[in-house]
Every structure is written in C-alpha cells, then in structure tokens.
Amino acid sequence: MGFIKNFFAKQHDWVLNGHDTTDQWKSVKVGDTVEFAMTMTEGVTYSVESINQEAAEAKIRRRTSDGSNGEAYTVGLVMLRPIAKTK
C-alpha cells in the first residue's frame, strides 16, 4: 500500500504515446475504414458510422471476415487511425 501512496504523492512526467503525438484522427470521416488503437487488434478493422465532434467521439462497427456487420462501439476519435477512405 505504501508504494501506491508514494507513487501518487510525487509528480511524474508521463511519456506521450503515439496517439498523443499525432493528429491523424482529425481526418476521419463517416464511411472510412479505421483501426481502433487497442492492444491485440491487428487485422481488425471498423467502419465509421457517425461522428460527434462536440464529444470527440465516433460510432464504429467492426467488420467481420465474412462481410457481415459486427458489434458497434462508441469510442474517442483520438483512438482511431484511418486506413482507407470510401468514395
């Protein structure tokens, strides 16, 4: 318990990760195919169904390997990385 108390008692300089240092998410549009920045999601893609700019969130739907629609999620825009655009 003492470690946790000491950890939060002193100031830490957090190292920015890739999502904190890039603004690629700003180009995400409805209909884009994106990746969601979570661990162990290589090869999993999502389509953007809607964007709420005020809340900086997007509704995304997982694309399944057989072409059917998967689960829908509401996520922060900063966690998205565009990989393809729709025309």
Side-chain angles (χ1 to χ4, degrees):
M1 184 72 171
F3 169 76
I4 294 173
K5 182 178 178 183
N6 291 337
F7 181 80
F8 288 107
K10 68 179 186 174
Q11 184 68 32
H12 291 277
D13 294 323
W14 300 104
V15 177
L16 295 177
N17 67 28
H19 302 289
D20 297 325
T21 60
T22 182
D23 62 357
Q24 63 187 352
W25 58 271
K26 291 180 181 179
S27 68
V28 171
K29 305 282 186 260
V30 172
D32 285 355
T33 299
V34 297
E35 290 179 331
F36 179 58
M38 293 297 289
T39 316
M40 306 292 286
T41 59
E42 292 81 13
V44 179
T45 59
Y46 303 84
S47 57
V48 179
E49 294 187 336
S50 65
I51 295 176
N52 180 340
Q53 292 290 348
E54 294 165 359
E57 293 179 338
K59 182 178 178 185
I60 59 174
R61 185 168 300 274
R62 185 176 60 84
R63 292 186 167 194
T64 62
S65 58
D66 66 1
S68 63
N69 288 329
E71 305 84 16
Y73 304 96
T74 301
V75 299
L77 280 172
V78 73
M79 299 299 285
L80 300 179
R81 182 171 72 96
I83 57 174
K85 300 274 185 191
T86 58
K87 294 184 181 191

